[in-house]
Every structure is written in structure tokens, then in C-alpha cells.
Amino acid sequence: MSRDPSVIDVQAEIAHWQAHHAQEQMGVGKLSVLSPVVKLACDVYLQAPRSSQAQRLDMFRDRLQTHFLPPGSQPALERLAADCWRRLGAPT
């Protein structure tokens, strides 16, 4: 069941993933990369909560192009976004 996008607490999502990052290596690299990626994933979810995983991923990739990314980090960032969407209850 999807959460109502109007009640998503983006700061709580960031805090969740920061705590998760502190416990294990998520492949994201620096913690400074994590916050903007979680915000971006939440934004995509808010824009299209009932979209398919593939549609959300396309939107995420389009928006990710405007951000500076560490080399080779895109697969890990896409996994983080997908994990975030699962946590938000998005359909897969």
C-alpha cells in the first residue's frame, strides 16, 4: 500500500538513510551525496507515486543528470532511490 505523498516526511527519510549509511557501506560513498539523492528520490515519488518502478527510475535518471556525481556512482544511487521508494510503499 502506498503512503499518501502529502504526508511524507523527507527529513525523516534522510535521517533513516543516514543512520543506515552509518551502519554499513551502501555504495553511495560520501554521506554528502546521500541527502540530495534521498531528496531527489522523494521528489520523484511525490510527483508520480503510482508510477511503475521503471517510470520512476527514468524520471530519477533524468533529474540526476543535473547533479555532479562521483564517477561510477550511478548504479548505487539508483539502488538507493529504489530502496527509498520501497520504504515509502511504492508499487514495484
Side-chain angles (χ1 to χ4, degrees):
M1 173 185 281
S2 296
R3 289 187 198 176
D4 179 354
S6 65
V7 295
I8 292 173
D9 184 344
V10 177
Q11 292 305 317
E13 289 303 312
I14 292 169
H16 168 81
W17 292 108
Q18 286 175 333
H20 191 67
H21 183 273
Q23 293 173 356
E24 62 182 68
Q25 183 54 273
M26 296 172 43
V28 175
K30 294 182 180 182
L31 191 60
S32 61
V33 173
L34 185 131
S35 180
V37 170
V38 172
K39 287 179 184 178
L40 185 58
C42 287
D43 183 52
V44 167
Y45 181 76
L46 290 169
Q47 294 294 314
R50 290 172 178 63
S51 295
S52 70
Q53 177 85 356
Q55 291 169 321
R56 283 190 305 274
L57 199 51
D58 284 343
M59 292 172 65
F60 180 78
R61 287 175 180 146
D62 285 346
R63 294 179 187 188
L64 199 58
Q65 290 179 9
T66 63
H67 292 76
F68 173 75
L69 299 174
S73 65
Q74 186 162 342
L77 301 181
E78 290 175 6
R79 278 191 306 276
L80 173 59
D83 289 345
C84 185
W85 297 326
R86 263 189 298 285
R87 182 174 146 76
L88 293 172
T92 55

